[in-house]
Structures are given as C-alpha cells and as structure tokens.
Amino acid sequence: VAIIAFTIIIKTLLLPLTVKSIRSSKAMQDLQPRIKELQKKYGKDRQRLSQETMALYSTYGVNPMAGCLPMLLQIPIFFGLYVAIQSVSKSDALYWADGFMWLESLNDADPYKILPLMAGVFQFVQTRMMRPAGQGKISDPQQAVMNQMMNFMPLMVVIFGWNFASGPVLYWATQSVYSVVQQWF
C-alpha cells in the first residue's frame, strides 16, 4: 500500500511537469505538417531549414525542448524511487507473513505475472495515447522507427518485470496505470 500511495503522491506532485510535457508534445504534433513543408522547401539547405524551423517554433510559441526537459527532470526521482523500492523489497524483515493481495512477498516475483502484464499493457496504452490521431501509413522513416520502438518498450517492461521482485514491478504497474489516467485528463 505504501508503494502504491507513494507512487501516486510523487506522480501527482510532478503533474505540472507532466502536463507541460504533454502539451508541448501535442503542439509539436500540430506543427508537423508545417515542418514537413519546410523540409520539402529547404531540404538541401540544412542551415536555412533550421532557421525556418526555429522561426516557426517562435511564431507559434513552441519550445521543442519543453517536452523533453520535464521528463528528464523526472528521471532521477523515479530512478531513486525504483532503487529504494528494489532495496526495500529485498529485505524480508519489513514484510508481514500474509503478504500483499496475491503476493507472498515483495521480494519474490509475481507468481501469476499479473503486475508485469498490467505494467506492459498500460505502458502500451500510454504510448498509443501519445501518437497523433488518424495516423495511417507513415512515410517518414524516422517516425516509423520511433513508432516501432514505442511498440517495443511495453514488451521490454513485461520481460524485465517477469522475474523481478514484485516490489519494483508494483511501482512500475502503479505508475503506468496512473500515467494513463493523467494523460487521459
């Protein structure tokens, strides 16, 4: 319960950064057609393309780093939280004999694999929510590779969580579910 509550508290405290990141990402998606026009027009002249792209960002008040910076600030917090949960979950002295729900100990892997699968499913839902609506066949090879990587990450969450101690995986699952809820609103 403490892992779930702490994860929700931290994600809620970081909500302003998350909102800023999501809004910036949406603004960048909205400008993609105009950026593609600039790429067609100035494709050979990299310097001019860069200048025109920055002018476009300036005109519409979009900061391309605004989507990344808030997420980068969250990485040390979540890494520290993950390490703390993992080290606490290895200490059997802190857990009661009855366990938590279907988990006998947060030190052992989830016997039914519910948590890693839940984390992976909600990670997948979150990546689908981040994509622009109505995106059909992607002509841009970089975007196609990026989408493939975004589809691959939830699978990696499941693979890593499969045999991990259930304490850190409970954190992953909680933060994945809560992230989808935050992104939805």
Side-chain angles (χ1 to χ4, degrees), residues 68-141:
C68 300
L69 189 59
M71 298 313 287
L72 290 175
L73 293 174
Q74 293 180 45
I75 290 173
I77 294 168
F78 288 119
F79 183 71
L81 180 61
Y82 170 78
V83 170
I85 290 170
Q86 189 175 23
S87 66
V88 167
S89 69
K90 290 183 180 181
S91 172
D92 284 329
L94 297 175
Y95 300 109
W96 57 93
D98 295 338
F100 177 71
M101 295 168 68
W102 69 91
L103 304 170
E104 290 183 30
S105 168
L106 295 180
N107 187 33
D108 300 328
D110 180 349
Y112 304 114
K113 310 304 183 201
I114 295 169
L115 290 176
L117 291 172
M118 188 170 82
V121 165
F122 278 92
Q123 183 77 35
F124 181 75
V125 169
Q126 186 179 10
T127 59
R128 296 298 292 201
M129 290 172 75
M130 299 256 325
R131 289 193 190 152
Q135 191 180 57
K137 177 114 172 103
I138 300 168
S139 58
D140 182 18

